[in-house]
Amino acid sequence: SLQTLRFIKHNDDCIHTILGNHDLHLLSIIYGKNKPKKGDTLDDILNAPDCRQLADWLRHQPLMRCRQKHLMVHAGLLPQWTGKQALSLASEVESVLQGRDCRKFFLQMYGNSPNRWHKSLKGMDRLRFITNVMTRMRVISKHNKLDFDFKSVYGDIPDNRQAWFDAPNRRHNNDTIIFGHWSALGLHIDKNVIGLDTGAVWGGELTAINLDTLEIHQVSAK
């Protein structure tokens, strides 16, 4: 909400956040002049007198955060990326978001291609792929191609697809990845991953975890 944004903005010393797909959607409307989608509930922010100040603060938030051996990202990490590599790739997008030419990024942000990682990716293709992985990914093919069509529960994943965290030989297994985005997945703690999206927006619960004790805290949605 608008009030929450203002609260976080003025409490940066105790509250930290990362960017997700909905945050980028809001920024694309403000900076990229993209149109709101049907069902969006952004009017309070878009019509606020301090909209630009809030948006400027928001676009200076990172795609990833690191806390010792914990990496926090909205959707997930590609299996072939190490944690250190992922943080470096995230910084490439962040530098564009925080720069003067962010409008060019938001004008070209949407799209499902390319759907496979190559070190040789350049320009907007590279930035879009990194952004899609970190803010939109749920399942991938056996060859690590992104698939944005699947949004259902874990048990319904087709045989030719896999959850990104189930891919064999993940190169970031030395870190614990904390993520959300996949509300149909629910609370998921396994194999150095902690999934915390329990569908509060759909009437489920808002979930938090104490990283020192792994104690779970949940509050039911209204």
Side-chain angles (χ1 to χ4, degrees):
S1 68
L2 181 57
Q3 290 75 16
T4 301
L5 265 180
R6 289 187 176 128
F7 175 79
I8 294 175
K9 178 182 177 183
H10 296 294
N11 289 272
D12 283 342
D13 59 331
C14 61
I15 295 176
H16 302 282
T17 186
I18 55 172
L19 292 171
N21 55 312
H22 291 287
D23 305 300
L24 294 177
H25 174 58
L26 170 62
L27 291 173
S28 77
I29 295 172
I30 296 172
Y31 292 100
K33 303 301 181 184
N34 288 314
K35 295 181 179 180
K37 296 179 180 178
K38 184 179 180 180
D40 280 353
T41 56
L42 302 173
D43 288 348
D44 284 350
I45 297 177
L46 296 176
N47 297 326
D50 57 348
C51 174
R52 277 285 178 163
Q53 294 95 316
L54 292 169
D56 188 59
W57 174 87
L58 187 61
R59 72 183 177 95
H60 280 79
Q61 302 310 302
L63 282 175
M64 286 185 64
R65 288 190 182 272
C66 178
R67 179 185 181 272
Q68 298 175 347
K69 285 292 184 178
H70 295 96
L71 296 176
M72 184 166 67
V73 64
H74 182 72
L77 297 182
L78 207 64
Q80 59 260 52
W81 292 349
T82 65
K84 182 178 180 180
Q85 180 185 11
L87 286 166
S88 177
L89 294 172
S91 70
E92 293 183 28
V93 178
E94 292 160 7
S95 65
V96 175
L97 291 177
Q98 297 167 16
R100 294 183 178 181
D101 293 332
C102 67
R103 183 174 183 271
K104 294 181 181 179
F105 171 85
F106 289 118
L107 287 172
Q108 303 177 68
M109 178 182 71
Y110 287 107
N112 295 340
S113 63
N115 66 357
R116 191 171 184 178
W117 172 247
H118 299 282
K119 292 182 179 179
S120 59
L121 285 176
K122 297 180 180 180
M124 194 59 214
D125 280 348
R126 183 181 180 91
L127 296 174
R128 187 187 303 111
F129 184 87
I130 296 169
T131 303
N132 281 342
V133 168
M134 295 187 179
T135 66
R136 297 179 61 206
M137 178 177 65
R138 295 182 183 90
V139 300
I140 56 178
S141 74
K142 303 300 182 180
H143 301 290
N144 295 334
K145 289 184 179 181
L146 303 182
D147 179 355
F148 300 112
D149 293 330
F150 183 84
K151 300 179 180 180
S152 187
V153 297
Y154 183 87
D156 289 343
I157 298 176
D159 291 339
N160 62 345
R161 296 289 183 267
Q162 60 187 344
W164 64 267
F165 49 78
D166 282 337
N169 303 316
R170 283 191 294 122
R171 296 188 65 202
H172 45 259
N173 268 333
N174 290 330
D175 301 297
T176 296
I177 313 301
I178 304 168
F179 68 102
H181 183 61
W182 192 350
S183 59
L185 178 68
L187 182 63
H188 184 91
I189 303 177
D190 186 32
K191 299 177 184 178
N192 298 92
V193 294
I194 300 175
L196 294 177
D197 191 336
T198 46
V201 70
W202 307 116
E205 295 173 312
L206 184 66
T207 300
I209 187 170
N210 183 323
L211 295 179
D212 296 322
T213 65
L214 297 185
E215 182 181 5
I216 298 294
H217 302 269
Q218 293 184 315
V219 177
S220 297
K222 292 183 178 179

PDB file of all heavy atoms in Angstrom, residues 12-44:
ATOM      1  N   ASP A  12      14.650   2.891   6.584  1.00  0.00           N
ATOM      2  CA  ASP A  12      15.630   2.089   5.861  1.00  0.00           C
ATOM      3  C   ASP A  12      16.654   1.431   6.778  1.00  0.00           C
ATOM      4  O   ASP A  12      17.326   0.484   6.384  1.00  0.00           O
ATOM      5  CB  ASP A  12      16.371   2.949   4.824  1.00  0.00           C
ATOM      6  CG  ASP A  12      15.524   3.211   3.592  1.00  0.00           C
ATOM      7  OD1 ASP A  12      14.550   2.474   3.401  1.00  0.00           O
ATOM      8  OD2 ASP A  12      15.853   4.137   2.836  1.00  0.00           O
ATOM      9  N   ASP A  13      16.801   1.950   8.005  1.00  0.00           N
ATOM     10  CA  ASP A  13      17.798   1.377   8.899  1.00  0.00           C
ATOM     11  C   ASP A  13      17.341   0.055   9.490  1.00  0.00           C
ATOM     12  O   ASP A  13      18.160  -0.723   9.984  1.00  0.00           O
ATOM     13  CB  ASP A  13      18.109   2.365  10.029  1.00  0.00           C
ATOM     14  CG  ASP A  13      16.869   2.725  10.849  1.00  0.00           C
ATOM     15  OD1 ASP A  13      15.766   2.691  10.278  1.00  0.00           O
ATOM     16  OD2 ASP A  13      17.019   3.030  12.045  1.00  0.00           O
ATOM     17  N   CYS A  14      16.051  -0.241   9.448  1.00  0.00           N
ATOM     18  CA  CYS A  14      15.566  -1.477  10.072  1.00  0.00           C
ATOM     19  C   CYS A  14      14.749  -2.354   9.124  1.00  0.00           C
ATOM     20  O   CYS A  14      14.459  -3.492   9.457  1.00  0.00           O
ATOM     21  CB  CYS A  14      14.739  -1.160  11.310  1.00  0.00           C
ATOM     22  SG  CYS A  14      13.269  -0.167  10.975  1.00  0.00           S
ATOM     23  N   ILE A  15      14.368  -1.832   7.971  1.00  0.00           N
ATOM     24  CA  ILE A  15      13.578  -2.609   7.026  1.00  0.00           C
ATOM     25  C   ILE A  15      14.264  -2.584   5.667  1.00  0.00           C
ATOM     26  O   ILE A  15      14.663  -1.531   5.184  1.00  0.00           O
ATOM     27  CB  ILE A  15      12.148  -2.045   6.888  1.00  0.00           C
ATOM     28  CG1 ILE A  15      11.391  -2.194   8.213  1.00  0.00           C
ATOM     29  CG2 ILE A  15      11.389  -2.758   5.777  1.00  0.00           C
ATOM     30  CD1 ILE A  15      10.016  -1.589   8.193  1.00  0.00           C
ATOM     31  N   HIS A  16      14.421  -3.764   5.066  1.00  0.00           N
ATOM     32  CA  HIS A  16      15.048  -3.869   3.751  1.00  0.00           C
ATOM     33  C   HIS A  16      14.127  -4.643   2.832  1.00  0.00           C
ATOM     34  O   HIS A  16      13.450  -5.580   3.255  1.00  0.00           O
ATOM     35  CB  HIS A  16      16.405  -4.578   3.847  1.00  0.00           C
ATOM     36  CG  HIS A  16      17.359  -3.896   4.775  1.00  0.00           C
ATOM     37  ND1 HIS A  16      18.057  -2.768   4.427  1.00  0.00           N
ATOM     38  CD2 HIS A  16      17.714  -4.174   6.057  1.00  0.00           C
ATOM     39  CE1 HIS A  16      18.812  -2.380   5.439  1.00  0.00           C
ATOM     40  NE2 HIS A  16      18.612  -3.213   6.446  1.00  0.00           N
ATOM     41  N   THR A  17      14.096  -4.270   1.578  1.00  0.00           N
ATOM     42  CA  THR A  17      13.203  -4.915   0.616  1.00  0.00           C
ATOM     43  C   THR A  17      13.951  -5.205  -0.671  1.00  0.00           C
ATOM     44  O   THR A  17      15.082  -4.757  -0.857  1.00  0.00           O
ATOM     45  CB  THR A  17      11.981  -4.010   0.339  1.00  0.00           C
ATOM     46  OG1 THR A  17      11.056  -4.700  -0.491  1.00  0.00           O
ATOM     47  CG2 THR A  17      12.407  -2.715  -0.340  1.00  0.00           C
ATOM     48  N   ILE A  18      13.357  -5.997  -1.525  1.00  0.00           N
ATOM     49  CA  ILE A  18      13.899  -6.272  -2.855  1.00  0.00           C
ATOM     50  C   ILE A  18      12.786  -6.065  -3.873  1.00  0.00           C
ATOM     51  O   ILE A  18      11.608  -6.046  -3.524  1.00  0.00           O
ATOM     52  CB  ILE A  18      14.453  -7.713  -2.972  1.00  0.00           C
ATOM     53  CG1 ILE A  18      13.387  -8.740  -2.589  1.00  0.00           C
ATOM     54  CG2 ILE A  18      15.717  -7.881  -2.157  1.00  0.00           C
ATOM     55  CD1 ILE A  18      13.802 -10.169  -2.856  1.00  0.00           C
ATOM     56  N   LEU A  19      13.184  -5.927  -5.125  1.00  0.00           N
ATOM     57  CA  LEU A  19      12.215  -5.696  -6.189  1.00  0.00           C
ATOM     58  C   LEU A  19      11.631  -7.005  -6.712  1.00  0.00           C
ATOM     59  O   LEU A  19      12.342  -7.992  -6.897  1.00  0.00           O
ATOM     60  CB  LEU A  19      12.883  -4.945  -7.342  1.00  0.00           C
ATOM     61  CG  LEU A  19      13.310  -3.504  -7.055  1.00  0.00           C
ATOM     62  CD1 LEU A  19      14.150  -2.980  -8.209  1.00  0.00           C
ATOM     63  CD2 LEU A  19      12.098  -2.616  -6.822  1.00  0.00           C
ATOM     64  N   GLY A  20      10.329  -6.981  -6.957  1.00  0.00           N
ATOM     65  CA  GLY A  20       9.647  -8.105  -7.585  1.00  0.00           C
ATOM     66  C   GLY A  20       8.947  -7.655  -8.851  1.00  0.00           C
ATOM     67  O   GLY A  20       9.037  -6.482  -9.248  1.00  0.00           O
ATOM     68  N   ASN A  21       8.236  -8.552  -9.487  1.00  0.00           N
ATOM     69  CA  ASN A  21       7.603  -8.234 -10.764  1.00  0.00           C
ATOM     70  C   ASN A  21       6.543  -7.141 -10.641  1.00  0.00           C
ATOM     71  O   ASN A  21       6.373  -6.316 -11.532  1.00  0.00           O
ATOM     72  CB  ASN A  21       7.010  -9.492 -11.405  1.00  0.00           C
ATOM     73  CG  ASN A  21       6.048 -10.226 -10.501  1.00  0.00           C
ATOM     74  OD1 ASN A  21       6.330 -10.489  -9.334  1.00  0.00           O
ATOM     75  ND2 ASN A  21       4.891 -10.590 -11.034  1.00  0.00           N
ATOM     76  N   HIS A  22       5.824  -7.101  -9.526  1.00  0.00           N
ATOM     77  CA  HIS A  22       4.802  -6.069  -9.369  1.00  0.00           C
ATOM     78  C   HIS A  22       5.418  -4.699  -9.116  1.00  0.00           C
ATOM     79  O   HIS A  22       4.878  -3.682  -9.561  1.00  0.00           O
ATOM     80  CB  HIS A  22       3.834  -6.445  -8.246  1.00  0.00           C
ATOM     81  CG  HIS A  22       2.970  -7.618  -8.577  1.00  0.00           C
ATOM     82  ND1 HIS A  22       1.928  -7.540  -9.476  1.00  0.00           N
ATOM     83  CD2 HIS A  22       3.007  -8.909  -8.151  1.00  0.00           C
ATOM     84  CE1 HIS A  22       1.344  -8.727  -9.589  1.00  0.00           C
ATOM     85  NE2 HIS A  22       1.993  -9.575  -8.796  1.00  0.00           N
ATOM     86  N   ASP A  23       6.533  -4.658  -8.414  1.00  0.00           N
ATOM     87  CA  ASP A  23       7.239  -3.392  -8.226  1.00  0.00           C
ATOM     88  C   ASP A  23       7.713  -2.848  -9.565  1.00  0.00           C
ATOM     89  O   ASP A  23       7.580  -1.655  -9.861  1.00  0.00           O
ATOM     90  CB  ASP A  23       8.442  -3.585  -7.302  1.00  0.00           C
ATOM     91  CG  ASP A  23       8.055  -4.206  -5.980  1.00  0.00           C
ATOM     92  OD1 ASP A  23       7.247  -3.594  -5.263  1.00  0.00           O
ATOM     93  OD2 ASP A  23       8.544  -5.307  -5.677  1.00  0.00           O
ATOM     94  N   LEU A  24       8.276  -3.721 -10.387  1.00  0.00           N
ATOM     95  CA  LEU A  24       8.756  -3.299 -11.698  1.00  0.00           C
ATOM     96  C   LEU A  24       7.604  -2.873 -12.599  1.00  0.00           C
ATOM     97  O   LEU A  24       7.750  -1.966 -13.424  1.00  0.00           O
ATOM     98  CB  LEU A  24       9.559  -4.433 -12.351  1.00  0.00           C
ATOM     99  CG  LEU A  24      10.871  -4.791 -11.643  1.00  0.00           C
ATOM    100  CD1 LEU A  24      11.539  -5.987 -12.333  1.00  0.00           C
ATOM    101  CD2 LEU A  24      11.824  -3.608 -11.610  1.00  0.00           C
ATOM    102  N   HIS A  25       6.464  -3.529 -12.444  1.00  0.00           N
ATOM    103  CA  HIS A  25       5.277  -3.131 -13.220  1.00  0.00           C
ATOM    104  C   HIS A  25       4.859  -1.706 -12.863  1.00  0.00           C
ATOM    105  O   HIS A  25       4.575  -0.883 -13.747  1.00  0.00           O
ATOM    106  CB  HIS A  25       4.140  -4.107 -12.959  1.00  0.00           C
ATOM    107  CG  HIS A  25       2.837  -3.710 -13.585  1.00  0.00           C
ATOM    108  ND1 HIS A  25       2.685  -3.504 -14.945  1.00  0.00           N
ATOM    109  CD2 HIS A  25       1.607  -3.469 -13.031  1.00  0.00           C
ATOM    110  CE1 HIS A  25       1.438  -3.159 -15.210  1.00  0.00           C
ATOM    111  NE2 HIS A  25       0.767  -3.125 -14.067  1.00  0.00           N
ATOM    112  N   LEU A  26       4.827  -1.399 -11.577  1.00  0.00           N
ATOM    113  CA  LEU A  26       4.493  -0.047 -11.140  1.00  0.00           C
ATOM    114  C   LEU A  26       5.492   0.960 -11.713  1.00  0.00           C
ATOM    115  O   LEU A  26       5.102   2.003 -12.246  1.00  0.00           O
ATOM    116  CB  LEU A  26       4.506   0.024  -9.611  1.00  0.00           C
ATOM    117  CG  LEU A  26       4.418   1.418  -8.994  1.00  0.00           C
ATOM    118  CD1 LEU A  26       3.106   2.102  -9.360  1.00  0.00           C
ATOM    119  CD2 LEU A  26       4.584   1.349  -7.479  1.00  0.00           C
ATOM    120  N   LEU A  27       6.771   0.637 -11.633  1.00  0.00           N
ATOM    121  CA  LEU A  27       7.794   1.553 -12.134  1.00  0.00           C
ATOM    122  C   LEU A  27       7.698   1.722 -13.648  1.00  0.00           C
ATOM    123  O   LEU A  27       7.976   2.802 -14.180  1.00  0.00           O
ATOM    124  CB  LEU A  27       9.185   1.037 -11.747  1.00  0.00           C
ATOM    125  CG  LEU A  27       9.504   1.096 -10.250  1.00  0.00           C
ATOM    126  CD1 LEU A  27      10.831   0.395  -9.965  1.00  0.00           C
ATOM    127  CD2 LEU A  27       9.539   2.532  -9.751  1.00  0.00           C
ATOM    128  N   SER A  28       7.299   0.659 -14.343  1.00  0.00           N
ATOM    129  CA  SER A  28       7.170   0.753 -15.799  1.00  0.00           C
ATOM    130  C   SER A  28       6.039   1.692 -16.192  1.00  0.00           C
ATOM    131  O   SER A  28       6.086   2.325 -17.250  1.00  0.00           O
ATOM    132  CB  SER A  28       6.934  -0.633 -16.409  1.00  0.00           C
ATOM    133  OG  SER A  28       5.595  -1.071 -16.226  1.00  0.00           O
ATOM    134  N   ILE A  29       5.018   1.789 -15.357  1.00  0.00           N
ATOM    135  CA  ILE A  29       3.913   2.718 -15.616  1.00  0.00           C
ATOM    136  C   ILE A  29       4.377   4.155 -15.378  1.00  0.00           C
ATOM    137  O   ILE A  29       4.076   5.062 -16.158  1.00  0.00           O
ATOM    138  CB  ILE A  29       2.709   2.381 -14.721  1.00  0.00           C
ATOM    139  CG1 ILE A  29       2.143   1.004 -15.083  1.00  0.00           C
ATOM    140  CG2 ILE A  29       1.630   3.447 -14.847  1.00  0.00           C
ATOM    141  CD1 ILE A  29       1.081   0.510 -14.122  1.00  0.00           C
ATOM    142  N   ILE A  30       5.138   4.352 -14.324  1.00  0.00           N
ATOM    143  CA  ILE A  30       5.569   5.706 -13.956  1.00  0.00           C
ATOM    144  C   ILE A  30       6.660   6.220 -14.881  1.00  0.00           C
ATOM    145  O   ILE A  30       6.604   7.365 -15.355  1.00  0.00           O
ATOM    146  CB  ILE A  30       6.058   5.719 -12.491  1.00  0.00           C
ATOM    147  CG1 ILE A  30       4.901   5.373 -11.553  1.00  0.00           C
ATOM    148  CG2 ILE A  30       6.655   7.075 -12.133  1.00  0.00           C
ATOM    149  CD1 ILE A  30       5.308   5.178 -10.110  1.00  0.00           C
ATOM    150  N   TYR A  31       7.647   5.365 -15.176  1.00  0.00           N
ATOM    151  CA  TYR A  31       8.792   5.820 -15.959  1.00  0.00           C
ATOM    152  C   TYR A  31       8.707   5.439 -17.436  1.00  0.00           C
ATOM    153  O   TYR A  31       9.188   6.165 -18.292  1.00  0.00           O
ATOM    154  CB  TYR A  31      10.096   5.260 -15.375  1.00  0.00           C
ATOM    155  CG  TYR A  31      10.446   5.825 -14.036  1.00  0.00           C
ATOM    156  CD1 TYR A  31      10.168   5.107 -12.874  1.00  0.00           C
ATOM    157  CD2 TYR A  31      11.030   7.076 -13.915  1.00  0.00           C
ATOM    158  CE1 TYR A  31      10.481   5.627 -11.628  1.00  0.00           C
ATOM    159  CE2 TYR A  31      11.346   7.602 -12.677  1.00  0.00           C
ATOM    160  CZ  TYR A  31      11.080   6.867 -11.526  1.00  0.00           C
ATOM    161  OH  TYR A  31      11.379   7.385 -10.293  1.00  0.00           O
ATOM    162  N   GLY A  32       8.124   4.290 -17.713  1.00  0.00           N
ATOM    163  CA  GLY A  32       8.064   3.821 -19.092  1.00  0.00           C
ATOM    164  C   GLY A  32       6.782   4.156 -19.801  1.00  0.00           C
ATOM    165  O   GLY A  32       6.600   3.817 -20.968  1.00  0.00           O
ATOM    166  N   LYS A  33       5.856   4.800 -19.085  1.00  0.00           N
ATOM    167  CA  LYS A  33       4.570   5.200 -19.654  1.00  0.00           C
ATOM    168  C   LYS A  33       3.753   4.001 -20.136  1.00  0.00           C
ATOM    169  O   LYS A  33       2.922   4.125 -21.036  1.00  0.00           O
ATOM    170  CB  LYS A  33       4.769   6.198 -20.800  1.00  0.00           C
ATOM    171  CG  LYS A  33       5.541   7.449 -20.407  1.00  0.00           C
ATOM    172  CD  LYS A  33       4.850   8.214 -19.289  1.00  0.00           C
ATOM    173  CE  LYS A  33       5.625   9.475 -18.919  1.00  0.00           C
ATOM    174  NZ  LYS A  33       5.025  10.205 -17.774  1.00  0.00           N
ATOM    175  N   ASN A  34       4.001   2.816 -19.549  1.00  0.00           N
ATOM    176  CA  ASN A  34       3.158   1.668 -19.859  1.00  0.00           C
ATOM    177  C   ASN A  34       1.797   1.851 -19.193  1.00  0.00           C
ATOM    178  O   ASN A  34       1.684   2.530 -18.162  1.00  0.00           O
ATOM    179  CB  ASN A  34       3.812   0.366 -19.369  1.00  0.00           C
ATOM    180  CG  ASN A  34       5.011  -0.016 -20.207  1.00  0.00           C
ATOM    181  OD1 ASN A  34       4.967   0.024 -21.426  1.00  0.00           O
ATOM    182  ND2 ASN A  34       6.106  -0.377 -19.549  1.00  0.00           N
ATOM    183  N   LYS A  35       0.782   1.227 -19.743  1.00  0.00           N
ATOM    184  CA  LYS A  35      -0.559   1.388 -19.222  1.00  0.00           C
ATOM    185  C   LYS A  35      -0.827   0.392 -18.089  1.00  0.00           C
ATOM    186  O   LYS A  35      -0.364  -0.749 -18.135  1.00  0.00           O
ATOM    187  CB  LYS A  35      -1.593   1.183 -20.339  1.00  0.00           C
ATOM    188  CG  LYS A  35      -1.523   2.234 -21.441  1.00  0.00           C
ATOM    189  CD  LYS A  35      -2.591   1.974 -22.491  1.00  0.00           C
ATOM    190  CE  LYS A  35      -2.549   3.047 -23.581  1.00  0.00           C
ATOM    191  NZ  LYS A  35      -3.583   2.815 -24.617  1.00  0.00           N
ATOM    192  N   PRO A  36      -1.581   0.799 -17.077  1.00  0.00           N
ATOM    193  CA  PRO A  36      -1.972  -0.140 -16.023  1.00  0.00           C
ATOM    194  C   PRO A  36      -2.780  -1.302 -16.602  1.00  0.00           C
ATOM    195  O   PRO A  36      -3.462  -1.152 -17.620  1.00  0.00           O
ATOM    196  CB  PRO A  36      -2.827   0.719 -15.083  1.00  0.00           C
ATOM    197  CG  PRO A  36      -2.404   2.125 -15.356  1.00  0.00           C
ATOM    198  CD  PRO A  36      -2.061   2.165 -16.816  1.00  0.00           C
ATOM    199  N   LYS A  37      -2.687  -2.452 -15.959  1.00  0.00           N
ATOM    200  CA  LYS A  37      -3.431  -3.626 -16.387  1.00  0.00           C
ATOM    201  C   LYS A  37      -4.803  -3.640 -15.704  1.00  0.00           C
ATOM    202  O   LYS A  37      -4.999  -3.032 -14.652  1.00  0.00           O
ATOM    203  CB  LYS A  37      -2.663  -4.902 -16.040  1.00  0.00           C
ATOM    204  CG  LYS A  37      -1.329  -5.041 -16.754  1.00  0.00           C
ATOM    205  CD  LYS A  37      -0.622  -6.322 -16.350  1.00  0.00           C
ATOM    206  CE  LYS A  37       0.715  -6.469 -17.053  1.00  0.00           C
ATOM    207  NZ  LYS A  37       1.436  -7.701 -16.629  1.00  0.00           N
ATOM    208  N   LYS A  38      -5.735  -4.345 -16.336  1.00  0.00           N
ATOM    209  CA  LYS A  38      -7.057  -4.492 -15.753  1.00  0.00           C
ATOM    210  C   LYS A  38      -6.927  -5.180 -14.393  1.00  0.00           C
ATOM    211  O   LYS A  38      -6.296  -6.213 -14.261  1.00  0.00           O
ATOM    212  CB  LYS A  38      -7.952  -5.323 -16.679  1.00  0.00           C
ATOM    213  CG  LYS A  38      -9.391  -5.445 -16.190  1.00  0.00           C
ATOM    214  CD  LYS A  38     -10.235  -6.249 -17.161  1.00  0.00           C
ATOM    215  CE  LYS A  38     -11.671  -6.362 -16.671  1.00  0.00           C
ATOM    216  NZ  LYS A  38     -12.518  -7.156 -17.617  1.00  0.00           N
ATOM    217  N   GLY A  39      -7.532  -4.602 -13.386  1.00  0.00           N
ATOM    218  CA  GLY A  39      -7.452  -5.177 -12.052  1.00  0.00           C
ATOM    219  C   GLY A  39      -6.351  -4.589 -11.189  1.00  0.00           C
ATOM    220  O   GLY A  39      -6.261  -4.891  -9.996  1.00  0.00           O
ATOM    221  N   ASP A  40      -5.479  -3.753 -11.773  1.00  0.00           N
ATOM    222  CA  ASP A  40      -4.449  -3.092 -10.975  1.00  0.00           C
ATOM    223  C   ASP A  40      -5.086  -2.214  -9.903  1.00  0.00           C
ATOM    224  O   ASP A  40      -6.141  -1.614 -10.124  1.00  0.00           O
ATOM    225  CB  ASP A  40      -3.553  -2.219 -11.863  1.00  0.00           C
ATOM    226  CG  ASP A  40      -2.495  -3.022 -12.610  1.00  0.00           C
ATOM    227  OD1 ASP A  40      -2.378  -4.234 -12.333  1.00  0.00           O
ATOM    228  OD2 ASP A  40      -1.788  -2.446 -13.454  1.00  0.00           O
ATOM    229  N   THR A  41      -4.433  -2.133  -8.753  1.00  0.00           N
ATOM    230  CA  THR A  41      -4.913  -1.277  -7.661  1.00  0.00           C
ATOM    231  C   THR A  41      -3.812  -0.293  -7.291  1.00  0.00           C
ATOM    232  O   THR A  41      -3.333  -0.256  -6.161  1.00  0.00           O
ATOM    233  CB  THR A  41      -5.310  -2.127  -6.443  1.00  0.00           C
ATOM    234  OG1 THR A  41      -4.181  -2.941  -6.061  1.00  0.00           O
ATOM    235  CG2 THR A  41      -6.485  -3.024  -6.769  1.00  0.00           C
ATOM    236  N   LEU A  42      -3.410   0.509  -8.262  1.00  0.00           N
ATOM    237  CA  LEU A  42      -2.259   1.391  -8.099  1.00  0.00           C
ATOM    238  C   LEU A  42      -2.631   2.865  -8.042  1.00  0.00           C
ATOM    239  O   LEU A  42      -1.740   3.713  -7.950  1.00  0.00           O
ATOM    240  CB  LEU A  42      -1.275   1.168  -9.261  1.00  0.00           C
ATOM    241  CG  LEU A  42      -0.748  -0.264  -9.433  1.00  0.00           C
ATOM    242  CD1 LEU A  42       0.068  -0.362 -10.715  1.00  0.00           C
ATOM    243  CD2 LEU A  42       0.087  -0.668  -8.231  1.00  0.00           C
ATOM    244  N   ASP A  43      -3.916   3.179  -8.089  1.00  0.00           N
ATOM    245  CA  ASP A  43      -4.331   4.581  -8.204  1.00  0.00           C
ATOM    246  C   ASP A  43      -3.828   5.442  -7.052  1.00  0.00           C
ATOM    247  O   ASP A  43      -3.446   6.604  -7.247  1.00  0.00           O
ATOM    248  CB  ASP A  43      -5.855   4.675  -8.293  1.00  0.00           C
ATOM    249  CG  ASP A  43      -6.382   4.196  -9.638  1.00  0.00           C
ATOM    250  OD1 ASP A  43      -5.552   4.016 -10.550  1.00  0.00           O
ATOM    251  OD2 ASP A  43      -7.597   3.995  -9.768  1.00  0.00           O
ATOM    252  N   ASP A  44      -3.830   4.893  -5.822  1.00  0.00           N
ATOM    253  CA  ASP A  44      -3.391   5.687  -4.674  1.00  0.00           C
ATOM    254  C   ASP A  44      -1.942   6.153  -4.844  1.00  0.00           C
ATOM    255  O   ASP A  44      -1.595   7.269  -4.459  1.00  0.00           O
ATOM    256  CB  ASP A  44      -3.522   4.881  -3.380  1.00  0.00           C
ATOM    257  CG  ASP A  44      -4.963   4.787  -2.908  1.00  0.00           C
ATOM    258  OD1 ASP A  44      -5.809   5.503  -3.472  1.00  0.00           O
ATOM    259  OD2 ASP A  44      -5.232   3.993  -1.990  1.00  0.00           O
TER     260      ASP A  44
END
